[in-house]
Structures are given as C-alpha cells and as structure tokens.
Amino acid sequence: GTYRALLTSRLQTIESIVVTSSLYSTQQDIKVGSTYEQVKESFPEVKMVRSEIESRLLARSGNFTFLFDGYELNDPGKISSITISR
C-alpha cells in the first residue's frame, strides 16, 4: 500500500499515517526518495536520531518523522517513509 493508518480501537481515531509512496509529498515537496539535505533545507529545525530497535536513521520535525534507508549519520541515504502524527 501507499500509506498505512494506525487506529485506536476504542475511538477509531487516526493516530498517524505512514506514507511509503513518492506520489505524495509535504507542502515543501519532501517525499519518499528525498535526501536529508532537502529535508534540512525545508525544515531547518529537524533533528536526526538513530532508532533504538533497528539502528535506522530518523529525522523529526513537528508532526513529521522521516525514516531513511541509510545507517550512517554522514550518509543517511534517502527517505524510505514519512510518518505524519497527530
């Protein structure tokens, strides 16, 4: 699928949407396949962190979390998914 929504069981409220297709982008034109440099240019306050479970690189800004396909901070690769949280 091109996106996945996580629902709470009681309220049926969407908590987050995960975008895995480059057909969808943020208002700043950041999408799957974009680089960290593009994210940093559009979201100057973005913070890069390493996920604890998979050691994957994540960049967070506001309600966006960008997952990268690389594992090295000096070469994070490209965005493999974007999670939009409420």
Side-chain angles (χ1 to χ4, degrees):
T2 56
Y3 67 91
R4 179 178 69 226
L6 302 176
L7 302 175
T8 59
S9 59
R10 204 172 343 133
L11 300 175
Q12 296 299 308
T13 302
I14 295 175
E15 296 294 327
S16 63
I17 295 174
V18 179
V19 179
T20 57
S21 170
S22 61
L23 296 176
Y24 304 97
S25 67
T26 67
Q27 289 179 331
Q28 298 84 353
D29 200 35
I30 300 300
K31 56 191 167 198
V32 170
S34 293
T35 64
Y36 179 69
E37 290 77 21
Q38 292 168 312
V39 173
K40 186 74 174 165
E41 186 176 305
S42 296
F43 300 94
E45 73 289 350
V46 72
K47 301 288 184 215
M48 181 73 81
V49 297
R50 188 176 299 282
S51 72
E52 294 180 17
I53 297 173
E54 300 177 351
S55 295
R56 298 284 298 275
L57 296 174
L58 306 166
R60 291 193 174 118
S61 178
N63 62 337
F64 291 106
T65 302
F66 306 98
L67 177 65
F68 289 84
D69 58 10
Y71 293 89
E72 301 297 325
L73 288 172
N74 61 348
D75 184 19
K78 296 187 177 187
I79 294 174
S80 58
S81 70
I82 302 170
T83 300
I84 307 153
S85 303
R86 46 180 235 141

